[in-house]
């Protein structure tokens, strides 16, 4: 009886916390992100500048972005690029998670969501390419004090009203959207239709159900094998290993040619990355490389700021998952000394992605956020995407140059080494959360940020 009573208390606590988190994270406070017109903005290898097109002085500040990746004087291009990234947030009212009665990840699943976003960016590079942008990205409404559900409901009502007006006029049953998409009239339309199919399929892999290949239910189930349960806090290193297992165990044919690799003690062993024991030939196998690192002691060392900027300036970088202590963020770019990130701390309703026409709007974020580098937690995981062996060799050579320590930096954030990890007698008994990372301790430096441009 006593055990039964304690179980009931725990269930009541769970319900109460879930209800509180639903209320806490279902409202997006109206906030405006300030961007300077005088500094370039880097977004996963793409460089944007909001200044006038006749200013030639800004191109030098775009770090390692190539000339073809440089976009000047176009705010809408940046907005569309950012909104095209897949946004995974807290959800509620989905089927119970493995090993628990929880039907929401509000308040604890943010690091898993950031890991999903980073993985989604890798899949976008694989299937769609870095230049792909969602055609409806600029139609998204900015997050305000209303819930996303309310905004969607308003748009649905407006759509229904419009359809009623249309139905009152001449009928046009022969030109439905479905028939148009099934029989595109040009090669461009056919290509756009194919990419949109990839886009929708990709998002469905991250659905909140046990059948979703890379969904929260699958990640939580894999976390159980590492001693993590639904409701626990997941660190960036543990999430990296969970993502690796999820990619390896995915059974969808579309994911057959993709694998994942997690570095060991901040070291990437090249022979392990291109291991020929894979089921697909190594020269045609794409690899998602995940590198857990620690960029300081208790706080991020300011000497790593330029390193992080260099990493986020590379097109094959799929971002950084980390954030503030106990508050995960997905870092996708920067301007000056501020990181640009996607925030998973927003509770949305469950979407059934098994339907062919499920809404995509809630999987894309219209509002970027910024955070000073100085507030970044030093523990994070950096991700890269390599399409094949040749691509990996180029990436490892380029990154090795970026990783060259400066006079002030005594250690690189991570290293590349030829051979297998087993050749170096690594300790295999350490769990991911117990691994140590090299770091530097330096006096704390305060970083201020200012902007004279507001992106709503």
């Amino acid at each position: 009886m006593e055990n039964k009573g304690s179980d009931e208390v725990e269930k009541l606590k769970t319900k109460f916390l879930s209800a509180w988190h639903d209320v806490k994270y279902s409202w997006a406070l109206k906030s405006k992100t300030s961007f300077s017109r005088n500094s370039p903005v880097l977004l996963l290898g793409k460089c944007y500048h909001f200044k006038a097109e006749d200013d030639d002085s800004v191109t030098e500040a775009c770090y390692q972005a190539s000339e073809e990746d440089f976009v000047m004087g176009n705010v809408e291009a940046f907005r569309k690029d950012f909104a095209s990234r897949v946004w995974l947030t807290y959800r509620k009212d989905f089927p119970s998670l493995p090993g628990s009665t929880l039907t929401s990840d509000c308040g604890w699943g943010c690091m898993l969501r950031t890991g999903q976003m980073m993985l989604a960016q890798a899949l976008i590079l694989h299937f769609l390419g870095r230049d792909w942008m969602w055609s409806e990205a600029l139609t998204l409404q900015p997050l305000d004090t209303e819930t996303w559900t309310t905004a969607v409901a308003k748009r649905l009502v407006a759509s229904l009203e419009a359809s009623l007006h249309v139905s009152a006029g001449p009928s046009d049953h022969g030109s439905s959207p479905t028939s148009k998409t099934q029989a595109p009239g040009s090669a461009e339309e056919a290509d756009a239709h194919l990419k949109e199919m990839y886009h929708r399929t990709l998002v469905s892999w991250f659905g909140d159900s046990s059948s979703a290949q890379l969904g929260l239910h699958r990640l939580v189930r894999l976390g159980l094998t590492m001693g993590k349960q639904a409701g626990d806090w997941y660190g960036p290193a543990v999430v990296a290993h969970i993502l690796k297992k999820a990619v390896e165990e995915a059974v969808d044919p579309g994911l057959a040619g993709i694998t994942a690799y997690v570095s060991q003690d901040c070291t990437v062993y090249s022979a392990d990355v291109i291991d020929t024991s894979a089921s697909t030939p190594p020269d045609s196998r794409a690899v998602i490389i995940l590198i857990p690192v620690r960029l300081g002691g208790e706080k991020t060392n300011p000497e790593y700021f330029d390193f992080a900027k260099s990493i986020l300036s590379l097109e094959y970088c799929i971002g950084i998952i980390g954030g503030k202590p106990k508050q995960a963020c997905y870092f996708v770019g920067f301007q000056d000394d501020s990181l640009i990130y996607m925030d998973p701390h927003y509770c949305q309703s469950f979407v059934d992605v098994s339907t062919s026409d499920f809404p995509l709007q809630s999987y894309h974020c219209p509002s970027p956020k910024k955070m000073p580098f100085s507030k970044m937690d030093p523990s994070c995981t950096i991700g890269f995407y390599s399409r094949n062996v040749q691509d990996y060799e180029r990436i490892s050579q380029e990154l090795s140059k970026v990783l060259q320590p400066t006079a002030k930096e005594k250690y690189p954030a991570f290293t590349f080494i030829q051979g297998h990890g087993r050749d170096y007698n690594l300790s295999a008994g350490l769990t991911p959360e117990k691994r140590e990372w090299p770091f530097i301790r330096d006096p704390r430096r305060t970083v201020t940020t200012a902007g004279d441009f507001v992106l709503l």
Side-chain angles (χ1 to χ4, degrees):
M1 289 293 293
E2 187 174 340
N3 290 337
K4 184 177 180 181
S6 61
D7 289 343
E8 292 297 327
V9 171
E10 287 301 319
K11 289 181 180 179
L12 189 61
K13 286 182 179 179
T14 300
K15 289 182 179 179
F16 175 78
L17 285 175
S18 295
W20 163 244
H21 286 148
D22 287 349
V23 173
K24 181 179 179 181
Y25 296 108
S26 289
W27 296 86
L29 296 177
K30 186 175 182 179
S31 60
K32 299 179 180 179
T33 301
S34 297
F35 285 85
S36 171
R37 290 188 182 275
N38 300 315
S39 302
V41 177
L42 270 294
L43 180 66
L44 295 173
K46 294 289 185 181
C47 184
Y48 297 90
H49 206 287
F50 304 144
K51 205 165 187 177
E53 297 185 6
D54 56 354
D55 190 337
D56 298 329
S57 64
V58 298
T59 57
E60 297 179 359
C62 276
Y63 285 80
Q64 299 184 18
S66 59
E67 290 184 4
E68 59 267 24
D69 297 328
F70 184 79
V71 182
M72 185 182 293
N74 194 341
V75 178
E76 295 303 296
F78 167 76
R79 188 195 298 270
K80 187 173 184 179
D81 194 357
F82 179 86
S84 297
R85 303 312 106 202
V86 175
W87 185 39
L88 285 309
T89 71
Y90 289 152
R91 296 276 174 175
K92 62 180 179 179
D93 301 328
F94 49 63
S96 298
L97 291 166
S100 78
T101 59
L102 291 173
T103 59
S104 172
D105 63 322
C106 291
W108 60 269
C110 53
M111 190 64 76
L112 289 173
R113 296 299 188 180
T114 61
Q116 285 182 312
M117 285 189 269
M118 185 164 67
L119 189 54
Q121 178 59 21
L123 296 179
I124 286 177
L125 293 181
H126 183 76
F127 292 105
L128 301 171
R130 181 60 186 88
D131 292 331
W132 172 83
M133 293 189 192
W134 187 35
S135 59
E136 300 181 29
L138 294 179
T139 66
L140 297 174
Q141 297 297 317
L143 298 180
D144 208 318
T145 52
E146 296 179 315
T147 62
W148 189 287
T149 305
T150 303
V152 171
K154 286 185 175 181
R155 290 199 296 271
L156 180 60
V157 170
S159 176
L160 289 173
E161 290 177 349
S163 64
L164 289 175
H165 288 298
V166 171
S167 62
S171 61
D172 187 17
H173 300 293
S175 58
S176 65
T178 303
S179 62
K180 287 183 179 180
T181 55
Q182 289 179 347
S186 67
E188 291 78 7
E189 289 180 1
D191 182 64
H193 176 59
L194 179 62
K195 288 185 176 180
E196 187 55 31
M197 288 178 59
Y198 274 122
H199 173 212
R200 186 171 291 275
T201 300
L202 190 155
V203 172
S204 71
W205 286 332
F206 295 93
D208 295 307
S209 66
S210 57
S211 61
Q213 300 291 307
L214 306 171
L216 184 70
H217 291 68
R218 188 69 56 89
L219 302 187
V220 168
R221 181 179 63 79
L222 293 172
L224 292 174
T225 65
M226 300 183 181
K228 294 291 184 180
Q229 296 181 349
D232 289 348
W233 168 255
Y234 295 72
V238 173
V239 169
H241 286 270
I242 291 176
L243 295 178
K244 177 179 182 292
K245 285 189 174 183
V247 173
E248 289 175 344
E249 294 185 8
V251 296
D252 192 289
L255 295 169
I258 307 172
T259 188
Y261 170 84
V262 180
S263 67
Q264 304 176 63
D265 301 319
C266 297
T267 304
V268 179
Y269 294 92
S270 295
D272 289 335
V273 176
I274 56 177
D275 200 328
T276 56
S277 63
S279 57
T280 55
D283 58 347
S284 61
R285 181 178 50 135
V287 181
I288 299 168
I289 304 168
L290 305 173
I291 308 174
V293 297
R294 191 169 182 88
L295 303 179
E298 295 181 359
K299 293 184 179 295
T300 298
N301 190 306
E303 300 303 330
Y304 283 118
F305 292 172
D306 285 340
F307 161 76
K309 292 179 181 180
S310 299
I311 291 298
L312 291 170
S313 301
L314 303 171
E315 275 205 5
Y316 48 83
C317 174
I318 56 175
I320 302 172
I321 61 172
K324 308 172 186 177
K326 298 296 181 181
Q327 187 175 4
C329 302
Y330 173 44
F331 300 114
V332 294
F334 68 91
Q335 184 182 47
D336 295 325
D337 288 330
S338 290
L339 288 157
I340 299 172
Y341 68 95
M342 300 179 74
D343 190 357
H345 300 90
Y346 184 53
C347 188
Q348 304 187 82
S349 297
F350 165 73
V351 173
D352 184 4
V353 298
S354 64
T355 61
S356 60
D357 58 346
F358 68 90
L360 289 164
Q361 285 78 6
S362 66
Y363 291 98
H364 292 275
C365 179
S367 305
K369 291 189 175 182
K370 292 175 72 176
M371 182 184 80
F373 272 97
S374 58
K375 292 186 178 181
M376 177 185 181
D377 189 281
S379 180
C380 59
T381 290
I382 304 170
F384 301 99
Y385 167 78
S386 170
R387 186 169 295 277
N388 49 43
V389 171
Q390 293 76 18
D391 198 25
Y392 171 74
E393 291 175 350
R394 176 182 63 85
I395 289 172
S396 61
Q397 291 176 1
E398 290 181 3
L399 285 176
S400 295
K401 296 178 181 178
V402 174
L403 290 165
Q404 290 295 327
T406 64
K408 294 182 179 180
E409 292 176 354
K410 298 178 182 178
Y411 305 100
F414 58 90
T415 58
F416 285 85
I417 292 182
Q418 299 298 320
H420 294 277
R422 61 176 179 267
D423 300 334
Y424 294 84
N425 296 320
L426 295 176
S427 174
L430 292 178
T431 58
E433 60 269 24
K434 291 183 179 179
R435 293 189 181 277
E436 298 287 342
W437 296 284
F439 59 85
I440 327 167
R441 292 182 180 272
D442 271 348
R444 182 176 62 184
R445 184 176 73 186
T446 303
V447 178
T448 58
T449 176
D452 57 2
F453 180 80
V454 174
L455 185 65
L456 298 178

